[in-house]
Amino acid sequence: MNMDFIKRLGFFLVGLSIGIVFLTFFMKKKSQETGVYFCYLPDCRTLKDIRSKSMYYSDEAKQKLKEFELDSIGITYILTEGDVDFSKSDTKSVPCKTYIVESEYKEQDYIFTVRNCREKASIEKVERQ
């Protein structure tokens, strides 16, 4: 009886392992083909939501972006690879939530203050440390 359980557990684990490998391979290939990747963590979901909207810039942000020589590639990188500091962000404000996004780009640390509204997102402030 005990041996039957161990045998069944072994078959289960082998099947589970094969299934996980297949699923990982399939999802990775699918995401490479379509350019879509799956976001499950809060940082990733928040940044994806920000990037999916029309982007606007405050006058102060435009000036700082020009001063720091940050182009659209740098902004996209920061809004893709950055970390959202939820402790400093105002996630309860209505109608627009304000997020603090921190990231390193070209060996510089940047902090973006982003207002995320229902229809649009705007970078309000850009800082470099």
Side-chain angles (χ1 to χ4, degrees):
M1 179 126 178
N2 194 14
M3 196 62 153
D4 286 340
F5 174 74
I6 291 173
K7 192 174 182 180
R8 282 186 283 156
L9 181 63
F11 283 129
F12 172 76
L13 292 176
V14 167
L16 182 66
S17 301
I18 291 170
I20 289 173
V21 168
F22 175 75
L23 187 62
T24 303
F25 176 76
F26 178 73
M27 290 299 201
K28 187 173 184 179
K29 184 173 180 173
K30 185 173 180 83
S31 68
Q32 287 173 346
E33 288 174 355
T34 60
V36 175
Y37 61 97
F38 302 98
C39 284
Y40 296 109
L41 299 175
D43 272 4
C44 185
R45 290 174 47 198
T46 301
L47 292 173
K48 186 176 181 181
D49 183 51
I50 290 169
R51 289 191 316 271
S52 71
K53 299 175 182 171
S54 299
M55 186 63 66
Y56 296 90
Y57 305 92
S58 70
D59 292 335
E60 178 188 348
K62 285 180 189 175
Q63 180 184 359
K64 289 291 185 178
L65 290 170
K66 194 175 214 178
E67 180 183 322
F68 298 150
E69 298 177 359
L70 269 177
D71 57 4
S72 61
I73 294 170
I75 294 167
T76 302
Y77 178 85
I78 291 168
L79 292 177
T80 303
E81 301 297 326
D83 295 318
V84 179
D85 188 341
F86 288 102
S87 65
K88 295 179 185 174
S89 299
D90 183 7
T91 60
K92 306 251 190 266
S93 60
V94 176
C96 302
K97 298 175 180 177
T98 303
Y99 295 102
I100 306 299
V101 180
E102 301 173 345
S103 182
E104 182 180 322
Y105 179 70
K106 291 189 177 178
E107 299 179 12
Q108 292 286 330
D109 291 327
Y110 292 96
I111 300 172
F112 284 8
T113 302
V114 182
R115 287 191 68 216
N116 188 19
C117 303
R118 185 179 285 269
E119 301 291 325
K120 66 178 185 172
S122 64
I123 297 177
E124 297 294 316
K125 198 168 160 187
V126 178
E127 300 172 275
R128 185 165 69 182
Q129 291 183 330

